Amino acid sequence: MLSRSLLDRVLDNDWLATLDPAERRLALREVVAPDKIAAVAEHVDGYGPLAEVMARPGVTDVLVNGPREVWAEQDGTLTREAIEWPDADALRDFVDRLLARGGGSVDASRPVADGRLPDGSRIHVVLPPIAPRGPLVSIRRFPSVRFTLDDLVRAEMLSAANAARLRDLVAARATVVVSGATGAGKTTLLNALLALVGTAERVVTIEETPELGPFSSHVVSLVARPPNVEGSGAVGLDALVRASLRMRPDRIVVGEVRGREAAVALAAMATGHEGSMLTLHARSAAEAPERLAELAETDVGRVRRAVDAFVHLSRRDGRRKLEEIEAR
Protein backbone atom coordinates (compact mmCIF):
# COMPACT_ATOMS: atom_id res chain seq x y z
CA MET A 1 0.00 0.00 0.00
CA LEU A 2 1.35 3.43 -0.96
CA SER A 3 1.83 5.96 1.81
CA ARG A 4 -0.60 8.88 1.81
CA SER A 5 2.27 11.43 1.70
CA LEU A 6 3.78 9.87 -1.41
CA LEU A 7 0.42 9.61 -3.15
CA ASP A 8 -0.40 13.24 -2.29
CA ARG A 9 2.92 14.32 -3.76
CA VAL A 10 1.98 12.67 -7.06
CA LEU A 11 -1.62 13.87 -7.15
CA ASP A 12 -0.51 17.47 -6.50
CA ASN A 13 1.16 17.47 -9.94
CA ASP A 14 -1.93 18.02 -12.10
CA TRP A 15 0.13 18.04 -15.30
CA LEU A 16 0.59 14.28 -14.99
CA ALA A 17 -3.07 13.79 -15.88
CA THR A 18 -2.48 15.23 -19.38
CA LEU A 19 -0.06 12.43 -20.31
CA ASP A 20 -0.81 8.99 -21.62
CA PRO A 21 0.13 6.05 -19.32
CA ALA A 22 3.50 5.40 -21.00
CA GLU A 23 4.55 9.04 -20.81
CA ARG A 24 3.28 9.28 -17.23
CA ARG A 25 5.46 6.36 -16.07
CA LEU A 26 8.52 8.23 -17.35
CA ALA A 27 7.41 11.57 -15.92
CA LEU A 28 6.92 10.06 -12.46
CA ARG A 29 10.72 9.91 -12.19
CA GLU A 30 10.62 13.67 -11.66
CA VAL A 31 8.20 13.32 -8.75
CA VAL A 32 9.15 10.26 -6.74
CA ALA A 33 12.21 8.15 -6.00
CA PRO A 34 13.04 5.56 -8.69
CA ASP A 35 12.30 2.61 -6.41
CA LYS A 36 8.74 3.88 -5.97
CA ILE A 37 7.95 4.49 -9.65
CA ALA A 38 6.45 1.08 -10.39
CA ALA A 39 4.21 1.17 -7.31
CA VAL A 40 3.00 4.71 -8.01
CA ALA A 41 2.39 3.99 -11.70
CA GLU A 42 0.39 0.89 -10.82
CA HIS A 43 -1.65 2.95 -8.35
CA VAL A 44 -2.39 5.75 -10.83
CA ASP A 45 -2.86 3.74 -14.04
CA GLY A 46 -3.37 0.18 -12.84
CA TYR A 47 -5.10 -1.83 -10.16
CA GLY A 48 -3.20 -0.43 -7.18
CA PRO A 49 -3.49 -2.76 -4.18
CA LEU A 50 -5.31 -5.28 -6.40
CA ALA A 51 -2.49 -5.46 -8.96
CA GLU A 52 -0.99 -8.74 -7.75
CA VAL A 53 -4.27 -10.62 -7.50
CA MET A 54 -5.49 -9.27 -10.85
CA ALA A 55 -2.31 -10.56 -12.50
CA ARG A 56 -2.75 -14.13 -11.29
CA PRO A 57 -3.77 -16.73 -13.88
CA GLY A 58 -7.06 -18.38 -13.06
CA VAL A 59 -8.59 -15.44 -11.15
CA THR A 60 -12.10 -14.79 -12.46
CA ASP A 61 -13.63 -12.54 -9.79
CA VAL A 62 -12.26 -10.00 -7.31
CA LEU A 63 -14.69 -8.82 -4.63
CA VAL A 64 -14.06 -5.84 -2.37
CA ASN A 65 -16.39 -5.62 0.65
CA GLY A 66 -15.34 -2.28 2.11
CA PRO A 67 -11.78 -1.16 2.92
CA ARG A 68 -10.85 -4.15 5.11
CA GLU A 69 -12.11 -7.16 3.16
CA VAL A 70 -11.08 -8.50 -0.28
CA TRP A 71 -11.93 -11.90 -1.76
CA ALA A 72 -10.79 -13.51 -5.01
CA GLU A 73 -12.08 -16.51 -6.90
CA GLN A 74 -9.28 -18.51 -8.49
CA ASP A 75 -9.85 -21.79 -10.31
CA GLY A 76 -13.34 -22.01 -8.83
CA THR A 77 -12.32 -21.42 -5.19
CA LEU A 78 -13.13 -18.22 -3.27
CA THR A 79 -10.48 -17.13 -0.76
CA ARG A 80 -9.85 -14.03 1.33
CA GLU A 81 -6.86 -11.87 0.40
CA ALA A 82 -4.54 -9.90 2.71
CA ILE A 83 -5.42 -6.57 1.06
CA GLU A 84 -6.73 -3.45 2.81
CA TRP A 85 -7.18 0.28 2.32
CA PRO A 86 -6.50 2.76 5.16
CA ASP A 87 -10.16 3.77 5.29
CA ALA A 88 -13.36 4.05 3.25
CA ASP A 89 -12.23 7.39 1.76
CA ALA A 90 -9.06 5.80 0.35
CA LEU A 91 -11.13 3.01 -1.16
CA ARG A 92 -13.53 5.55 -2.62
CA ASP A 93 -10.62 7.40 -4.27
CA PHE A 94 -9.48 4.10 -5.76
CA VAL A 95 -12.99 3.34 -7.03
CA ASP A 96 -13.28 6.75 -8.70
CA ARG A 97 -9.97 6.32 -10.51
CA LEU A 98 -10.79 2.79 -11.60
CA LEU A 99 -14.25 3.69 -12.91
CA ALA A 100 -12.90 6.77 -14.69
CA ARG A 101 -10.54 4.51 -16.65
CA GLY A 102 -13.62 2.67 -17.91
CA GLY A 103 -15.43 5.87 -18.80
CA GLY A 104 -17.84 5.65 -15.87
CA SER A 105 -18.57 7.53 -12.67
CA VAL A 106 -20.42 7.04 -9.42
CA ASP A 107 -21.66 9.49 -6.79
CA ALA A 108 -24.36 10.07 -4.19
CA SER A 109 -27.00 10.76 -6.85
CA ARG A 110 -26.14 7.53 -8.69
CA PRO A 111 -24.59 5.20 -6.11
CA VAL A 112 -24.66 2.08 -8.31
CA ALA A 113 -22.54 1.98 -11.47
CA ASP A 114 -21.06 -0.43 -14.00
CA GLY A 115 -18.03 -0.03 -16.22
CA ARG A 116 -15.71 -1.80 -18.61
CA LEU A 117 -11.99 -1.53 -17.83
CA PRO A 118 -9.26 -1.25 -20.50
CA ASP A 119 -8.17 -4.87 -20.04
CA GLY A 120 -11.74 -6.06 -20.72
CA SER A 121 -12.69 -6.71 -17.09
CA ARG A 122 -16.17 -5.70 -15.96
CA ILE A 123 -16.56 -3.61 -12.81
CA HIS A 124 -19.66 -3.06 -10.65
CA VAL A 125 -19.65 -0.52 -7.80
CA VAL A 126 -22.10 0.23 -4.97
CA LEU A 127 -21.52 3.20 -2.65
CA PRO A 128 -22.77 4.04 0.87
CA PRO A 129 -25.36 4.49 2.26
CA ILE A 130 -26.66 1.62 0.12
CA ALA A 131 -23.50 -0.24 1.17
CA PRO A 132 -23.18 0.79 4.85
CA ARG A 133 -19.78 -0.90 5.45
CA GLY A 134 -18.06 1.01 2.68
CA PRO A 135 -17.84 0.85 -1.14
CA LEU A 136 -18.48 -2.54 -2.68
CA VAL A 137 -16.51 -3.43 -5.81
CA SER A 138 -17.04 -6.52 -7.97
CA ILE A 139 -14.60 -7.12 -10.82
CA ARG A 140 -15.26 -9.91 -13.31
CA ARG A 141 -12.27 -10.95 -15.40
CA PHE A 142 -12.58 -12.74 -18.71
CA PRO A 143 -10.03 -15.15 -20.18
CA SER A 144 -7.76 -13.67 -22.82
CA VAL A 145 -7.86 -17.00 -24.67
CA ARG A 146 -11.23 -18.31 -25.86
CA PHE A 147 -12.00 -21.93 -25.08
CA THR A 148 -13.08 -24.38 -27.75
CA LEU A 149 -15.58 -27.18 -27.15
CA ASP A 150 -12.62 -29.58 -26.99
CA ASP A 151 -11.08 -27.40 -24.26
CA LEU A 152 -14.33 -27.55 -22.30
CA VAL A 153 -14.46 -31.33 -22.67
CA ARG A 154 -10.91 -31.57 -21.29
CA ALA A 155 -11.94 -29.31 -18.41
CA GLU A 156 -14.86 -31.70 -17.74
CA MET A 157 -17.42 -28.94 -18.23
CA LEU A 158 -19.24 -31.19 -20.70
CA SER A 159 -18.95 -34.67 -22.15
CA ALA A 160 -17.66 -35.54 -25.60
CA ALA A 161 -21.15 -36.77 -26.49
CA ASN A 162 -22.72 -33.45 -25.53
CA ALA A 163 -19.99 -31.59 -27.44
CA ALA A 164 -20.96 -33.59 -30.54
CA ARG A 165 -24.64 -32.72 -30.01
CA LEU A 166 -23.78 -29.03 -29.76
CA ARG A 167 -21.70 -29.17 -32.94
CA ASP A 168 -24.66 -30.73 -34.75
CA LEU A 169 -26.99 -28.01 -33.48
CA VAL A 170 -24.71 -25.24 -34.74
CA ALA A 171 -24.18 -26.96 -38.09
CA ALA A 172 -27.95 -27.40 -38.49
CA ARG A 173 -28.47 -23.67 -37.76
CA ALA A 174 -30.63 -24.45 -34.74
CA THR A 175 -31.75 -21.54 -32.57
CA VAL A 176 -30.17 -22.06 -29.14
CA VAL A 177 -30.82 -20.60 -25.69
CA VAL A 178 -28.04 -21.06 -23.11
CA SER A 179 -29.27 -20.69 -19.53
CA GLY A 180 -27.72 -20.80 -16.08
CA ALA A 181 -26.90 -18.74 -13.02
CA THR A 182 -24.32 -15.98 -12.81
CA GLY A 183 -20.84 -17.41 -13.30
CA ALA A 184 -22.10 -20.75 -14.62
CA GLY A 185 -20.12 -20.36 -17.86
CA LYS A 186 -22.84 -19.18 -20.27
CA THR A 187 -20.58 -16.74 -22.10
CA THR A 188 -17.70 -19.24 -22.16
CA LEU A 189 -19.91 -21.86 -23.82
CA LEU A 190 -21.50 -19.35 -26.19
CA ASN A 191 -18.05 -18.26 -27.40
CA ALA A 192 -17.14 -21.90 -28.01
CA LEU A 193 -20.33 -22.42 -30.03
CA LEU A 194 -19.77 -19.28 -32.07
CA ALA A 195 -16.27 -20.48 -32.96
CA LEU A 196 -18.02 -23.24 -34.94
CA VAL A 197 -19.92 -20.80 -37.16
CA GLY A 198 -18.70 -20.66 -40.74
CA THR A 199 -16.54 -17.70 -41.72
CA ALA A 200 -18.90 -16.85 -44.59
CA GLU A 201 -21.77 -16.18 -42.18
CA ARG A 202 -22.45 -12.65 -40.96
CA VAL A 203 -22.97 -12.66 -37.19
CA VAL A 204 -24.26 -9.67 -35.21
CA THR A 205 -23.60 -9.79 -31.46
CA ILE A 206 -25.60 -7.61 -29.07
CA GLU A 207 -24.43 -7.10 -25.48
CA GLU A 208 -24.42 -4.70 -22.56
CA THR A 209 -20.67 -5.18 -22.24
CA PRO A 210 -18.53 -6.78 -24.99
CA GLU A 211 -17.68 -10.33 -23.91
CA LEU A 212 -18.23 -12.31 -27.12
CA GLY A 213 -15.61 -12.96 -29.78
CA PRO A 214 -13.46 -12.68 -31.68
CA PHE A 215 -14.60 -15.92 -33.27
CA SER A 216 -15.17 -15.22 -36.97
CA SER A 217 -13.90 -13.05 -39.78
CA HIS A 218 -17.36 -11.54 -40.30
CA VAL A 219 -18.76 -10.43 -36.96
CA VAL A 220 -20.40 -7.13 -36.08
CA SER A 221 -20.54 -6.11 -32.43
CA LEU A 222 -23.26 -3.84 -31.00
CA VAL A 223 -22.89 -2.67 -27.39
CA ALA A 224 -25.61 -0.98 -25.31
CA ARG A 225 -25.00 2.49 -23.91
CA PRO A 226 -26.18 3.59 -20.44
CA PRO A 227 -27.69 7.05 -19.88
CA ASN A 228 -25.33 9.98 -19.36
CA VAL A 229 -25.21 12.10 -16.20
CA GLU A 230 -28.29 14.00 -17.39
CA GLY A 231 -30.18 10.72 -17.72
CA SER A 232 -30.40 10.78 -21.53
CA GLY A 233 -28.63 9.13 -24.45
CA ALA A 234 -29.26 5.53 -23.43
CA VAL A 235 -29.35 2.85 -26.14
CA GLY A 236 -30.82 -0.38 -24.82
CA LEU A 237 -30.53 -3.96 -26.01
CA ASP A 238 -34.03 -3.88 -27.47
CA ALA A 239 -33.08 -1.00 -29.78
CA LEU A 240 -29.89 -2.81 -30.79
CA VAL A 241 -31.75 -6.03 -31.62
CA ARG A 242 -34.09 -4.02 -33.86
CA ALA A 243 -31.11 -2.33 -35.49
CA SER A 244 -29.45 -5.70 -36.11
CA LEU A 245 -32.43 -6.86 -38.17
CA ARG A 246 -31.55 -4.20 -40.76
CA MET A 247 -27.91 -5.27 -40.95
CA ARG A 248 -28.41 -8.43 -43.03
CA PRO A 249 -27.45 -10.86 -40.26
CA ASP A 250 -27.16 -14.60 -40.82
CA ARG A 251 -27.22 -15.10 -37.06
CA ILE A 252 -28.17 -12.76 -34.22
CA VAL A 253 -26.56 -13.39 -30.84
CA VAL A 254 -27.81 -11.65 -27.70
CA GLY A 255 -25.77 -11.88 -24.52
CA GLU A 256 -27.72 -11.89 -21.25
CA VAL A 257 -31.37 -11.29 -22.16
CA ARG A 258 -33.15 -9.76 -19.20
CA GLY A 259 -35.75 -7.27 -20.45
CA ARG A 260 -37.75 -5.96 -23.42
CA GLU A 261 -35.12 -7.17 -25.87
CA ALA A 262 -36.42 -10.72 -25.27
CA ALA A 263 -39.54 -10.04 -27.35
CA VAL A 264 -37.56 -8.65 -30.29
CA ALA A 265 -34.98 -11.46 -30.16
CA LEU A 266 -37.73 -14.07 -29.99
CA ALA A 267 -39.47 -12.54 -33.00
CA ALA A 268 -36.21 -12.66 -34.94
CA MET A 269 -35.73 -16.32 -34.06
CA ALA A 270 -39.26 -17.13 -35.18
CA THR A 271 -39.14 -15.25 -38.48
CA GLY A 272 -36.15 -16.48 -40.42
CA HIS A 273 -32.95 -15.89 -38.45
CA GLU A 274 -32.08 -19.55 -37.95
CA GLY A 275 -28.97 -20.27 -35.94
CA SER A 276 -29.44 -17.32 -33.62
CA MET A 277 -28.44 -17.69 -29.97
CA LEU A 278 -28.96 -15.96 -26.65
CA THR A 279 -28.25 -16.42 -22.95
CA LEU A 280 -30.47 -15.83 -19.93
CA HIS A 281 -30.72 -16.58 -16.24
CA ALA A 282 -32.76 -19.67 -15.36
CA ARG A 283 -32.57 -22.57 -12.92
CA SER A 284 -33.04 -25.39 -15.42
CA ALA A 285 -33.63 -26.14 -19.08
CA ALA A 286 -37.27 -26.79 -18.21
CA GLU A 287 -37.62 -23.35 -16.60
CA ALA A 288 -35.83 -21.48 -19.40
CA PRO A 289 -38.84 -21.38 -21.80
CA GLU A 290 -41.07 -20.00 -19.04
CA ARG A 291 -38.44 -17.42 -18.09
CA LEU A 292 -38.04 -16.30 -21.71
CA ALA A 293 -41.82 -16.17 -22.18
CA GLU A 294 -42.12 -14.01 -19.06
CA LEU A 295 -39.48 -11.57 -20.32
CA ALA A 296 -41.01 -11.44 -23.80
CA GLU A 297 -44.54 -11.14 -22.37
CA THR A 298 -45.77 -14.00 -24.51
CA ASP A 299 -46.86 -17.62 -24.09
CA VAL A 300 -44.55 -20.57 -23.61
CA GLY A 301 -45.86 -22.24 -26.76
CA ARG A 302 -44.52 -19.39 -28.90
CA VAL A 303 -41.13 -19.69 -27.22
CA ARG A 304 -40.94 -23.42 -27.87
CA ARG A 305 -41.88 -22.93 -31.53
CA ALA A 306 -39.11 -20.35 -31.97
CA VAL A 307 -36.29 -22.10 -30.04
CA ASP A 308 -34.83 -25.41 -31.19
CA ALA A 309 -32.65 -26.18 -28.16
CA PHE A 310 -32.24 -25.15 -24.53
CA VAL A 311 -28.82 -25.75 -23.02
CA HIS A 312 -28.49 -25.39 -19.26
CA LEU A 313 -25.32 -24.91 -17.19
CA SER A 314 -24.82 -25.12 -13.45
CA ARG A 315 -22.09 -24.24 -11.01
CA ARG A 316 -21.49 -26.41 -7.98
CA ASP A 317 -18.50 -26.41 -5.63
CA GLY A 318 -16.75 -23.97 -7.95
CA ARG A 319 -17.09 -26.26 -11.00
CA ARG A 320 -19.12 -25.42 -14.10
CA LYS A 321 -21.10 -28.20 -15.71
CA LEU A 322 -23.42 -28.64 -18.67
CA GLU A 323 -26.47 -30.21 -17.03
CA GLU A 324 -29.01 -30.54 -19.82
CA ILE A 325 -29.60 -30.20 -23.54
CA GLU A 326 -33.31 -30.12 -24.33
CA ALA A 327 -33.74 -30.16 -28.11
CA ARG A 328 -36.70 -30.79 -30.38
Side-chain angles (χ1 to χ4, degrees):
M1 177 66 67
L2 293 174
S3 68
R4 174 57 64 178
S5 61
L6 180 58
L7 182 58
D8 287 342
R9 192 190 317 166
V10 173
L11 297 180
D12 284 343
N13 289 269
D14 294 338
W15 58 275
L16 290 170
T18 65
L19 306 178
D20 65 36
E23 293 172 330
R24 185 157 40 236
R25 285 178 180 264
L26 293 175
L28 284 170
R29 298 174 187 271
E30 303 176 19
V31 182
V32 298
D35 62 330
K36 297 292 186 180
I37 289 176
V40 172
E42 184 59 55
H43 188 99
V44 174
D45 290 315
Y47 283 106
L50 300 180
E52 187 275 330
V53 68
M54 288 293 293
R56 285 186 216 154
V59 170
T60 55
D61 292 89
V62 178
L63 311 171
V64 180
N65 303 336
R68 301 281 190 267
E69 186 178 332
V70 176
W71 296 78
E73 181 177 318
Q74 183 172 359
D75 299 323
T77 302
L78 196 62
T79 57
R80 187 165 181 174
E81 302 289 330
I83 299 172
E84 294 184 354
W85 282 261
D87 50 43
D89 289 339
L91 175 55
R92 172 63 191 276
D93 290 342
F94 170 77
V95 167
D96 287 340
R97 285 193 296 276
L98 207 56
L99 264 182
R101 292 174 57 213
S105 63
V106 66
D107 54 37
S109 64
R110 194 166 75 100
V112 180
D114 294 285
R116 183 81 173 183
L117 300 175
D119 68 355
S121 298
R122 186 173 63 200
I123 180 172
H124 178 76
V125 174
V126 183
L127 292 185
I130 296 174
R133 293 171 53 194
L136 301 177
V137 183
S138 303
I139 300 174
R140 166 66 60 85
R141 295 182 64 203
F142 298 98
S144 56
V145 177
R146 304 299 182 184
F147 296 106
T148 66
L149 279 183
D150 289 336
D151 292 330
L152 300 183
V153 171
R154 284 190 287 271
E156 300 183 347
M157 182 173 171
L158 67 157
S159 66
N162 278 334
R165 290 187 68 189
L166 293 173
R167 287 190 180 93
D168 290 343
L169 289 171
V170 174
R173 296 183 56 80
T175 55
V176 177
V177 171
V178 179
S179 63
T182 299
K186 299 186 295 297
T187 301
T188 298
L189 179 61
L190 190 56
N191 268 315
L193 297 181
L194 291 172
L196 303 174
V197 174
T199 57
E201 295 189 54
R202 178 174 169 86
V203 180
V204 181
T205 64
I206 299 147
E207 305 171 84
E208 285 192 341
T209 54
E211 300 171 11
L212 297 172
F215 51 81
S216 171
S217 59
H218 198 172
V219 58
V220 177
S221 176
L222 301 178
V223 180
R225 185 175 69 186
N228 59 24
V229 292
E230 287 82 24
S232 61
V235 181
L237 291 182
D238 55 331
L240 294 181
V241 175
R242 290 189 181 91
S244 73
L245 299 175
R246 300 180 178 89
M247 300 173 68
R248 199 262 176 218
D250 289 305
R251 301 183 192 236
I252 297 172
V253 180
V254 188
E256 208 62 72
V257 169
R258 59 166 64 93
R260 294 178 299 178
E261 68 277 2
V264 188
L266 194 61
M269 288 179 159
T271 56
H273 292 89
E274 293 89 358
S276 295
M277 307 179 195
L278 60 83
T279 67
L280 83 161
H281 284 267
R283 291 176 293 184
S284 65
E287 184 190 78
E290 298 177 2
R291 176 63 178 152
L292 188 54
E294 178 185 348
L295 292 172
E297 298 182 350
T298 189
D299 61 272
V300 176
R302 180 172 175 243
V303 171
R304 291 193 175 278
R305 288 190 296 272
V307 179
D308 296 311
F310 293 90
V311 179
H312 185 73
L313 303 172
S314 70
R315 181 178 179 182
R316 298 176 184 174
D317 300 323
R319 299 188 64 83
R320 298 165 175 84
K321 285 281 188 180
L322 192 155
E323 295 284 355
E324 306 171 76
I325 299 177
E326 181 184 296
R328 60 181 174 86

